[in-house]
Amino acid sequence: MKDALLLVDVVNDFEHEDGEKLLESFRSRHAGFVHALEQARADGLTVVYANDTFGDWRGDAPALVRRALEGRGGELVEPIAPQEDDCFVVKPRYSAFDHTPLELILREREIERLLLGGMSTEGCVAQTAIDARELGFKVSVLADACATIDERVEQVALEYVETVAGAFLVRS
């Protein structure tokens, strides 16, 4: 089975309404993000970033990365920032598939399973998992590589994507 690591909204400056809560969660779970990315790179997997535009529709991934590195939590974003060979798509909505070329990129690379992490678990990660399953991809949500605004709601979302959408949950 051909896998890809998909990281949703990890290029983040945390300058938004729920930024402080999300940054706190990201900080406490940072090792899981780093481990997932290091493992994917060591295994030679395709790495794809799908990220909110923060209102900047130029599709300028390097500018989004710079903004995140210079923002709150930049020291946490740096070790998991995209590298030159990684794919990067900007997304207008919660799901990384909604109005983006993500499905085309994955099909072109013959990806069958997504190893999914990002933030927030209960929002963009869950919606991306649901859409991926609807499109026929296998999905493993890397719970240790997800950050949340609300742990109670996160647990509901993870239970839903596992029992209803059919994604697998992977925890250390």
Side-chain angles (χ1 to χ4, degrees):
M1 182 174 320
K2 195 164 180 187
D3 294 342
L5 176 64
L6 174 59
L7 295 173
V8 178
D9 290 337
V10 299
V11 176
N12 201 315
D13 66 3
F14 303 95
E15 294 295 335
H16 47 82
E17 182 180 340
D18 296 312
E20 194 61 43
K21 289 179 184 175
L22 195 57
L23 178 56
E24 181 182 327
S25 175
F26 181 46
R27 190 177 308 284
S28 71
R29 299 173 181 194
H30 188 255
F33 285 87
V34 172
H35 175 75
L37 187 56
E38 287 176 349
Q39 188 65 54
R41 293 197 194 289
D43 292 345
L45 302 185
T46 294
V47 177
V48 182
Y49 292 78
N51 221 86
D52 192 298
T53 66
F54 302 107
D56 182 351
W57 286 104
R58 294 174 298 157
D60 186 351
L64 289 170
V65 172
R66 275 192 307 278
R67 176 178 168 175
L69 293 175
E70 293 167 0
R72 294 188 314 170
E75 74 283 358
L76 300 171
V77 173
E78 186 175 15
I80 61 168
Q83 294 182 356
E84 190 173 318
D85 292 337
D86 296 333
C87 298
F88 194 103
V89 298
V90 294
K91 63 183 192 64
R93 300 207 169 93
Y94 292 119
S95 173
F97 289 96
D98 193 358
H99 292 82
T100 74
L102 181 57
E103 181 183 6
L104 297 171
I105 292 167
L106 298 173
R107 301 269 185 229
E108 171 92 9
R109 294 169 183 254
E110 300 178 343
I111 301 300
E112 300 169 87
R113 180 175 60 179
L114 297 177
L115 308 176
L116 179 60
M119 52 184 102
S120 74
T121 312
E122 63 276 15
C124 298
V125 173
Q127 192 61 54
T128 298
I130 292 164
D131 284 357
R133 292 292 297 138
E134 288 289 322
L135 292 167
F137 292 100
K138 293 174 176 39
V139 177
S140 293
V141 177
L142 307 178
D144 295 337
C146 291
T148 184
I149 295 164
D150 182 319
E151 289 186 11
R152 184 190 63 76
V153 177
E154 177 186 49
Q155 290 309 310
V156 171
L158 289 173
E159 184 177 324
Y160 183 87
V161 299
E162 182 178 40
T163 59
V164 177
F168 289 95
L169 296 185
V170 179
R171 298 179 194 267
S172 61

